Each structure stands twice: as structure tokens, then as C-alpha cells.
Amino acid sequence: MITTVKKLLTKLSLIAKDKKAWLALIAGLFLTLSYAPYNLWYIAFLSLGILIYCINPQANGKSATKQSAKYGFIFGLGWFGAGISWVHVSIATFGGMPLIASISLMVLLCAYLALYPALAAWLTTRLAKGPYSFICLLLANFAVTEYLRGTLLTGFPWLSFGYTQTDSPLNFLAPVIGEFGITLVCVLIAFSLFRLLGKDIKPLIGSVTLLAGLYVIASNSALQYQDKTIKTVLVQGNIKQHLRFEPSEFWNTMSKYQDMTRLHWNADLIVWPEAAVPELEALSTQYLTGLDSAAAFNNTALITGIVDYQYDTRNIFNTLIVLGKKEQDDSEGHYQYLGKNRYQKHQLLPIGEFVPFQELLRPIAPLFDLPMSSFTRGDEVQNNLQANGLHILPAICYEIAFADLVRGNYRSDSDILFTVSNDAWFGDSHGPHQHMQIARMRALELQRPLIRVTNNGISAVYDPIAKSQLSMPQFKADVLEANITLIKGDSLYSQYGNWPVWIVVILLSAVAVFIRVKK
């Protein structure tokens, strides 16, 4: 035991003296500044450039492969340690765990996520033969590892590099190659800058040529505004998190949303947040029927989140339902319990909405036994919601980070991208800002107006053509009225998804293999 501890301390001492290890850590930490709310998007290129410098096989000698994996892992610790530090807010505040336990969980989560950039760095250095083989492999390996990070163990696609460019001049790429493609462009630009320091201008010329070609493609898009503008109303209740699922507070919450809406029925669409109605749907029939009639009487539709527990099957769904008019020429409301015009959340949040190994974990701490943490998955592909003649593409909370899932439910006649959430779990941290940034990226990819309404912010509407956002303050009960101009046409990304990017990745891999065989 003593020998093992000594070896560990020796390794930590060596890492502490390793200047590249510190560079990799600092680069990962500062990468957080590229994301919302800081939006210093150019730092992404600098951080990735430093990572490339650290894992450069020509500088690391015989131990290049092992060193690259180490630097990739340390970079990942900084990247996720600072980037998703907001997760600790929910664990510490609502998880009911001692500080040392909550910090340990965060370290484990960040260490797991850091394995992906470590794997990308290791594979690249292990297989590369020369600088151009290196960049081909680095792009291909980051594509694979980022895909795996977004899918394995239900996936955690948060903080991909492409999100740093949501509000940068490179956001014109989103409708063409999506966030996934922008991630690889970030790596390519970083490599070009790194090689420029060595007076190799060829990668920079290649990057500029590629961006120019993609800009021409984006400029020739047939996307344009429709001759139709709708008035929408977003209602943000700002219900305290510890009161949201207290049965004694159900009626107060439901009355509050009803009262906040009463003066704003003169809209085409009214939206409430995730589980805005805290009572189970089967027990809220009278309340929902009243809202359905009121919305129809005022020639509008209302979409709200609600929990649907089905007593016969014991399935419980995180649900969106439509009240009031389904079609524009309807004269009556159409709501009925278990009617087809609803959306059931598919991508559930681990721990928050389902607990793996629950028989083992639930007794350990309140974190693993939160209210409403036994949801059932909805179907992966579902119909758009229909509300007052509009076709609404829905996503609930965490789902908006899964580009393939959202695109899988997109249709050419989808009018609006609509997402609801409750980010009260994360307090006054950068988590809600990152969440809103991710939602904006989905709107840019699909070129559809975004409506996002949450319990306590950030609630906003976003126009992906004008790239303008209108939002209401966080942590305040408020109502936002906004006029939204609809958009017609399909983006390239909405039609082809990530397939063009994967074809390029395969070609890059083939080039790397050719260079390796030739040498």
C-alpha cells in the first residue's frame, strides 16, 4: 500500500513539473470562455492550438503516444471541469450529499468525459506519419470520439467545440454542415494557426479556401421569410425549485400561470414551460378543459408541459400538450386526455429523470431519489405538435442538445422550433446560458424560428436569419410578447444531416492511411 502511494505521489510530482501539462490544463480551462455567457469565440482556436502543440508527436519524441494521451486527458479535465461546473450546483443544492461526496462525483464525471479527448490524442499520435497525416487523423478521431461522447451511456454532447461559434462570424456554416461540422472546422483552424507559427502557410490557405467554398454554398440557399408573422406569448412563472412538486403548492402554481396568461389571450400562440402544470394530467382534467375552452374562445392555442402518469400501464411521461385550437379555422378546443396531439420526451436525463441501477442507488442519497425521476421514454420519432394551424417541432430540456434527435423530427412544413426547460436546478450559473446557446445552434441548423420558454430563464425567441434574440430577465416571473416571422425552405443540414461531414471524415482517414503506407 505504501509503495503504491509513493508511486502515485511520484507521478503527480512529475506531472506538476511538466510545463506542457500545465499548458494543456490552462487551455482546457480557458476554453470555457468561448461558450455563453462569455462568448469569446476566438479563444476556442487558441485553446485547441495549444492542445495541438502539446500533443505534437515531433516534439514529444519516443514517448509521444503516451504523452499525447496524458495531455489530452488533462486538457479534458480543464475543459469539462470549468465548462460543466454548474452541474455541481444541482448536486450540492438538491442532491443532499456531503460536499466531499458531491465534489468526488464531479471529478469522476469530468474524468470520464476527459477520456474522449485523451483517446483522440492517443490515436492520432499513434497512427500519424507527418503533419498532414496528423491533421487528417486528428479531425477523424475527434469526429469519432465526439460522436461517441454524444451517444455512449445515453450520451452527453454538451460543450462540443462547434457551439463556441454560435454567435461568431462562422455561424453561417450551421445550415450547411451543422454544429458537428463546425467542431471539425474549429480543429482545422487551430491546426492552421499552429502550423503558421512554423511558417507553413499551406493549411491556412486550405482552411480559407474551404470556408470560402462553404460560404458560397450557404449564400445560394433558397431559405427566406414567409409573408406570415405570428404573435406569440411566453409565460415564465419563476416557481422556486423546492416548491415545484409540493402537492400543497400545485394549485398556487396552476393559478399563477393562469393569472399571468389572462391578459395575453390575444396571441396566435401561448407557451408555458416544462411541467408548468405540476399536477398529473389525469388529475387535472377540469383545469385543462377550462384552459382548452378559454384558448379556443380567444382564437388561440396554448402549449404547456405536464407530467402524464398512466395508471393502467404505470408509465410516466414528461409531456407537452396542446390546448385550444388545433387548426386555424377551428371554433372549439380539441384537447382530450391521451389525445394524439402531444409530445412525450424521448432523451431522458440520467439521475434526474431515470436512475440506472435504481435498486442500488436510490437508498444511498436524495440525489438518486429526486421527485419525478422514474420517467418512461417516448418514441424517438414523433409527429410535430399542431397548434392554431402551426406545425411545432418540439424538444424538452436536455433533448435540444441532441442534434440528430431534433433533426429526426423535423419536417419541411415545421414552422417553429419549440423547446421548454426548467433550469432552476442550476441557479445563477453559466449552465442556462450554455443551454440557450445550444438551442440557438439548433435553430441555425434547421433555419426555423426558435421559441424557448423555461421556469426561471432563459426564456427567449430567436430569429436564425436575422440572428437576433429577444428575451426576458432570469429569476423573475414575467411575460414576453414577440412577433415571429415564419421561414420557408429547407437548409442543407435539415436534408442531409451529418452525412456530408462523415463522408469527408472517411476520405481524410483514407488519406492518412495512404500517407502511412507510402512512408
Side-chain angles (χ1 to χ4, degrees):
M1 180 66 178
I2 295 174
T3 305
T4 304
V5 172
K6 284 183 177 180
K7 287 181 178 179
L8 179 61
L9 290 174
T10 302
K11 287 182 179 179
L12 291 175
S13 176
L14 290 172
I15 291 174
K17 295 177 182 178
D18 188 340
K19 292 181 181 179
K20 282 190 175 181
W22 285 107
L23 268 177
L25 179 63
I26 291 169
L29 289 170
F30 273 80
L31 184 59
T32 300
L33 298 178
S34 297
Y35 300 95
Y38 314 104
N39 293 318
L40 303 177
W41 50 268
Y42 47 86
I43 288 181
F45 308 135
L46 300 177
S47 292
L48 288 169
I50 292 172
L51 174 64
I52 291 169
Y53 163 74
C54 292
I55 67 175
N56 179 20
Q58 294 177 333
N60 289 329
K62 294 181 180 179
S63 60
T65 302
K66 186 182 295 185
Q67 292 288 88
S68 292
K70 180 179 75 173
Y71 297 140
F73 182 78
I74 293 172
F75 174 84
L77 285 179
W79 177 15
F80 296 108
I84 62 168
S85 57
W86 46 267
V87 174
H88 184 258
V89 177
S90 59
I91 295 176
T93 306
F94 304 104
M97 302 187 75
L99 181 61
I100 185 65
S102 61
I103 291 175
S104 298
L105 278 176
M106 277 299 299
V107 170
L108 285 173
L109 174 60
C110 293
Y112 162 71
L113 295 172
L115 292 174
Y116 292 99
L119 177 60
W122 180 82
L123 282 172
T124 300
T125 309
R126 175 72 179 81
L127 301 173
K129 292 291 183 182
Y132 298 110
S133 170
F134 176 85
I135 185 55
C136 289
L137 286 167
L138 188 64
L139 290 168
N141 288 326
F142 260 118
V144 171
T145 54
E146 285 296 275
Y147 170 78
L148 292 175
R149 182 165 71 87
T151 53
L152 290 181
L153 302 177
T154 76
F156 189 79
W158 211 274
L159 290 190
S160 291
F161 304 137
Y163 291 119
T164 65
Q165 307 305 306
T166 302
D167 300 300
S168 87
L170 292 182
N171 59 13
F172 75 88
L173 295 169
V176 182
I177 58 175
E179 184 276 328
F180 183 61
I182 298 176
T183 286
L184 302 189
V185 168
C186 288
V187 177
L188 178 61
I189 292 174
F191 176 78
S192 301
L193 296 176
F194 168 71
R195 293 295 297 177
L196 190 62
L197 294 176
K199 298 182 179 180
D200 180 4
I201 199 172
K202 292 177 184 177
L204 184 61
I205 294 173
S207 298
V208 172
T209 303
L210 172 65
L211 291 175
L214 291 172
Y215 181 78
V216 170
I217 294 172
S219 300
N220 289 328
S221 170
L223 289 153
Q224 57 184 315
Y225 289 117
Q226 294 186 37
D227 296 327
K228 182 177 182 180
T229 299
I230 65 165
K231 180 180 179 181
T232 185
V233 170
L234 289 69
V235 185
Q236 179 176 285
N238 195 35
I239 308 299
K240 301 299 181 185
Q241 183 59 34
H242 67 279
L243 298 178
R244 290 191 72 243
F245 294 110
E246 282 291 327
S248 60
E249 293 293 322
F250 282 0
W251 181 246
N252 290 337
T253 299
M254 292 155 74
S255 296
K256 182 176 185 178
Y257 272 102
Q258 195 169 19
D259 292 341
M260 291 177 69
T261 304
R262 185 167 287 118
L263 298 177
H264 302 277
W265 283 116
N266 61 333
D268 298 294
L269 181 66
I270 300 168
V271 292
W272 292 2
E274 178 183 13
V277 180
E279 181 67 272
L280 298 179
E281 185 179 357
L283 303 178
S284 309
T285 306
Q286 185 175 356
Y287 175 79
L288 296 174
T289 301
L291 281 176
D292 185 55
S293 299
F297 178 78
N298 288 280
N299 293 312
T300 189
L302 185 154
I303 304 177
T304 182
I306 194 168
V307 176
D308 172 24
Y309 178 75
Q310 299 177 5
Y311 288 90
D312 54 346
T313 62
R314 297 190 177 181
N315 288 331
I316 182 168
F317 295 98
N318 190 348
T319 307
L320 288 172
I321 57 173
V322 181
L323 305 166
K325 295 171 64 174
K326 180 178 179 181
E327 303 295 343
Q328 200 165 15
D329 56 357
D330 288 346
S331 58
E332 296 181 354
H334 75 289
Y335 170 76
Q336 56 180 330
Y337 179 51
L338 299 184
K340 292 183 178 180
N341 194 18
R342 62 181 52 231
Y343 176 79
Q344 298 168 327
K345 187 177 182 182
H346 171 76
Q347 192 72 43
L348 302 179
L349 181 66
I351 307 302
E353 292 178 313
F354 80 96
V355 180
F357 312 110
Q358 58 179 341
E359 293 81 4
L360 176 65
L361 293 179
R362 285 193 184 276
I364 293 177
L367 173 66
F368 303 112
D369 198 25
L370 296 170
M372 302 296 177
S373 59
S374 298
F375 282 101
T376 307
R377 278 176 180 264
D379 294 335
E380 184 174 3
V381 178
Q382 301 179 48
N383 293 326
N384 284 189
L385 297 174
Q386 292 180 262
N388 201 10
L390 299 167
H391 293 83
I392 313 291
L393 170 59
I396 298 178
C397 190
Y398 184 52
E399 289 186 316
I400 200 67
F402 291 81
D404 288 338
L405 175 66
V406 177
R407 178 183 164 272
N409 287 308
Y410 171 85
R411 305 289 180 268
S412 293
D413 61 357
S414 297
D415 293 305
I416 291 170
L417 173 59
F418 173 58
T419 180
V420 298
S421 187
N422 173 38
D423 289 344
W425 293 102
F426 310 119
D428 189 11
S429 68
H430 49 255
H433 296 273
Q434 291 175 357
H435 206 172
M436 182 68 210
Q437 185 177 50
I438 290 169
R440 288 201 304 274
M441 179 56 78
R442 294 290 89 79
L444 287 168
E445 288 173 340
L446 301 175
Q447 289 293 287
R448 288 296 181 265
L450 168 70
I451 300 176
R452 182 175 190 263
V453 61
T454 71
N455 172 38
N456 68 341
I458 300 169
S459 300
V461 297
Y462 178 73
D463 183 330
I465 292 182
K467 298 180 176 62
S468 61
Q469 177 174 310
L470 180 63
S471 57
M472 66 180 90
Q474 282 185 278
F475 316 116
K476 179 183 177 182
D478 206 353
V479 175
L480 175 66
E481 293 186 354
N483 292 321
I484 297 175
T485 303
L486 303 184
I487 298 170
K488 60 182 177 181
D490 296 312
S491 69
L492 285 173
Y493 178 81
S494 70
Q495 297 176 75
Y496 303 108
N498 292 325
W499 278 110
V501 178
W502 279 117
I503 290 171
V504 172
V505 167
I506 292 169
L507 291 174
L508 289 172
S509 302
V511 169
V513 170
F514 174 77
I515 293 173
R516 182 177 177 85
V517 170
K518 186 177 179 181
K519 288 195 174 185

